[in-house]
């Protein structure tokens, strides 16, 4: 058998490694891992990135608490490391680990540099690798990473038909693309036993009427991120409303955002490094609005029917919905108008990115022998 061929092991339980580097992508891969484990596969988590940094909430502990299988933790960076340094460290760490612990399939998500590093290792070693939520656009360097990951990976689990079409335009074969929706919607669409009162008590949130604000740095806009942050949070302060603020990710420029968060008045702004996923889901369901440039504002918020204000370029062209308002950070009057007119409104649930059954679709696909019998050598697909 050549390195390009897959052994015939149809019907056999597989060893599947799920990679997570942030609290956000854990919410994407966990439903897939849960479904795989329910159907008899061995789910393993390679935990790295922001999870391993105490500044960002030490969220590896949350992975330990919720992951359905064994966990391997790897510190891939020191504070302030550039993306290229993180890329190199992650490649080395994962290459060493996968040599010692072979796996049948690696599952990565999205556009983070950790996912890019691991996709490179898998491509070089002909390890089958699946990319979750490829084929999407955002208008920043994240989009470049995302498309690179798609070209490196053998399989694609995407959120929409539009994303699937983009992957075909990149030369990916239709047989390798599966439209399953966004996996995190599995969780947001399910019943949660936690009550909002418990969430507020646990995280010391003293106000019942609140919005959620999440603002991340945009690496291609490092020269303006400090001003964008000031513009946005000045407007939120002036609104007189209360917000639960989730700290940004660790991309370059985050120090400017952290500096502004430190000056927010604590009687109206509760700043939290990270939250348990189930608690955050409940917090979102009861929020009056979601503000910032996180994907949750254009993905989870419409699914939950919560109005969202998408600020800046980070999610450019990612999604449209009646519940989403797009503004620049310095459009103070537009921000004020959104907070006045949209606060506490509710919209019909959007199913543009799935119906909350991605995990079960994923496990059904894994059950088919044809999934595992694909040639490991990819070729460019010429559209008819």
């Amino acid at each position: 058998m050549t390195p390009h061929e897959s052994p015939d092991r149809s019907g056999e339980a597989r060893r599947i490694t799920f990679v997570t580097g942030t609290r956000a992508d854990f919410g994407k891969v966990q439903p897939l891992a849960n479904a795989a484990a329910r159907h008899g596969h061995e789910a393993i988590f390679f935990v790295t990135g922001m999870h391993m940094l105490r500044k960002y909430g030490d969220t590896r502990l949350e992975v330990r608490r919720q992951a359905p299988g064994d966990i391997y933790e790897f510190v891939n960076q020191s504070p302030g490391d550039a993306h290229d340094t993180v890329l190199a460290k992650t490649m080395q760490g994962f290459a060493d680990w996968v040599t010692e612990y072979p796996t049948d399939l690696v599952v990565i998500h999205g556009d983070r540099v950790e996912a890019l590093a691991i996709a490179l290792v898998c491509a070089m070693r002909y390890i089958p690798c699946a990319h979750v939520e490829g084929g999407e656009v955002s208008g920043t360097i994240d989009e470049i990473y995302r498309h690179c990951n798609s070209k490196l990976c053998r399989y694609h689990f995407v959120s929409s038909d539009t994303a699937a079409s983009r992957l075909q335009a990149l030369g990916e074969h239709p047989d390798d693309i599966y439209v399953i929706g966004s996996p995190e919607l599995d969780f947001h669409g399910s019943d949660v036993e936690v009550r909002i009162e418990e969430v507020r008590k646990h995280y010391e949130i003293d106000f019942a009427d609140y919005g959620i604000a999440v603002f991340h740095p945009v690496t291609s806009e490092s020269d303006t991120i400090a001003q964008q942050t000031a513009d946005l949070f000045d407007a939120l302060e002036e609104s007189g409303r209360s917000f639960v603020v989730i700290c940004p990710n660790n991309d370059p420029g985050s120090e400017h955002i952290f500096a502004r968060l430190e000056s927010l008045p604590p009687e109206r702004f509760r700043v939290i490094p990270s939250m348990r996923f189930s608690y955050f889901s409940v917090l979102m369901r009861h929020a009056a609005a979601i503000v910032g440039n996180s994907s949750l504002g254009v993905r989870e918020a419409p699914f939950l029917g919560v109005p969202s204000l998408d600020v800046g370029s980070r999610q450019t062209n990612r999604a449209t919905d009646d519940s989403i308002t797009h503004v620049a950070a310095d459009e103070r009057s537009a921000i004020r108008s959104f907070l006045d007119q949209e606060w506490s409104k509710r919209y019909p649930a959007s199913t543009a990115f799935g119906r909350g059954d991605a995990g079960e679709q994923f496990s059904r696909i894994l059950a088919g022998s044809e999934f595992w019998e694909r040639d490991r050598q990819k070729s460019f697909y010429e559209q008819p």
Side-chain angles (χ1 to χ4, degrees), residues 54-377:
R54 283 177 291 180
K55 179 179 181 179
Y56 297 93
D58 211 10
T59 51
R60 64 191 175 89
L61 302 177
E62 180 73 357
V63 179
R64 286 186 189 177
R65 193 176 69 84
Q66 295 194 40
D70 291 339
I71 293 170
Y72 176 81
E73 297 176 351
F74 174 67
V75 178
N76 71 337
Q77 61 193 276
S78 298
D81 277 353
H83 276 193
D84 51 3
T85 301
V86 177
L87 179 78
K89 289 182 177 180
T90 310
M91 287 187 68
Q92 183 65 64
F94 184 76
D96 291 343
W97 180 81
V98 81
T99 299
E100 195 68 23
Y101 300 98
T103 187
D104 294 307
L105 178 69
V106 175
V107 179
I108 65 168
H109 170 267
D111 52 24
R112 301 292 296 172
V113 69
E114 290 88 3
L116 176 60
I118 287 167
L120 279 164
V121 172
C122 290
M124 292 173 180
R125 298 193 178 197
Y126 292 98
I127 300 170
C129 190
H131 186 208
V132 178
E133 292 193 334
E136 301 192 13
V137 295
S138 58
T140 69
I141 195 171
D142 295 346
E143 181 179 321
I144 297 172
Y145 287 172
R146 187 182 297 266
H147 296 331
C148 286
N149 288 340
S150 293
K151 292 307 301 179
L152 291 165
C153 288
R154 188 68 179 84
Y155 307 104
H156 311 279
F157 294 96
V158 302
S159 63
S160 67
D161 291 331
T162 301
S165 296
R166 291 195 188 102
L167 287 180
Q168 289 187 44
L170 288 173
E172 298 303 297
H173 198 287
D175 290 347
D176 297 334
I177 304 170
Y178 305 91
V179 180
I180 65 171
S182 292
E184 80 278 8
L185 301 185
D186 289 22
F187 196 90
H188 293 302
S190 64
D191 293 332
V192 180
E193 295 180 357
V194 182
R195 295 173 59 83
I196 185 60
E197 293 79 13
E198 182 180 347
V199 175
R200 290 178 53 217
K201 180 179 179 181
H202 184 85
Y203 288 99
E204 300 178 342
I205 300 168
D206 295 332
F207 29 81
D209 183 38
Y210 63 88
I212 296 174
V214 187
F215 195 63
H216 297 297
V218 178
T219 53
S220 59
E221 300 173 2
S222 58
D223 56 335
T224 64
I225 194 62
Q227 187 60 54
Q228 291 183 47
T229 303
D231 288 338
L232 173 60
F233 283 98
D234 286 354
L236 298 187
E237 274 200 65
E238 290 173 5
S239 74
R241 300 188 183 275
S242 299
F243 289 86
V244 177
V245 183
I246 307 300
C247 290
N249 64 28
N250 62 335
D251 283 341
S254 63
E255 67 276 7
H256 299 299
I257 300 175
F258 275 106
R260 182 64 181 91
L261 299 189
E262 290 175 359
S263 66
L264 293 173
E267 64 273 11
R268 288 199 295 109
F269 290 83
R270 176 70 174 99
V271 180
I272 303 173
S274 185
M275 293 181 67
R276 293 180 182 178
F277 197 78
S278 59
Y279 283 43
F280 187 58
S281 180
V282 172
L283 192 77
M284 286 182 61
R285 298 177 199 201
H286 289 83
I290 293 172
V291 176
N293 63 1
S294 168
S295 62
L296 66 89
V298 298
R299 189 64 54 89
E300 289 98 314
F303 181 75
L304 295 172
V306 178
S308 62
L309 184 69
D310 176 46
V311 181
S313 66
R314 191 168 184 264
Q315 304 299 333
T316 298
N317 298 323
R318 193 83 180 273
T320 57
D321 193 88
D322 290 343
S323 65
I324 304 172
T325 301
H326 303 277
V327 299
D330 61 356
E331 293 183 284
R332 190 158 305 186
S333 62
I335 295 173
R336 185 185 309 113
S337 177
F338 170 85
L339 296 176
D340 289 342
Q341 298 175 19
E342 297 292 306
W343 192 263
S344 293
K345 284 180 66 174
R346 284 298 181 266
Y347 287 83
S350 170
T351 57
F353 293 99
R355 298 179 178 274
D357 62 351
E360 286 307 307
Q361 292 192 63
F362 176 73
S363 62
R364 285 198 297 270
I365 293 163
L366 296 187
S369 59
E370 64 276 7
F371 178 86
W372 303 100
E373 293 168 358
R374 305 275 170 78
D375 191 330
R376 295 186 182 180
Q377 176 62 58

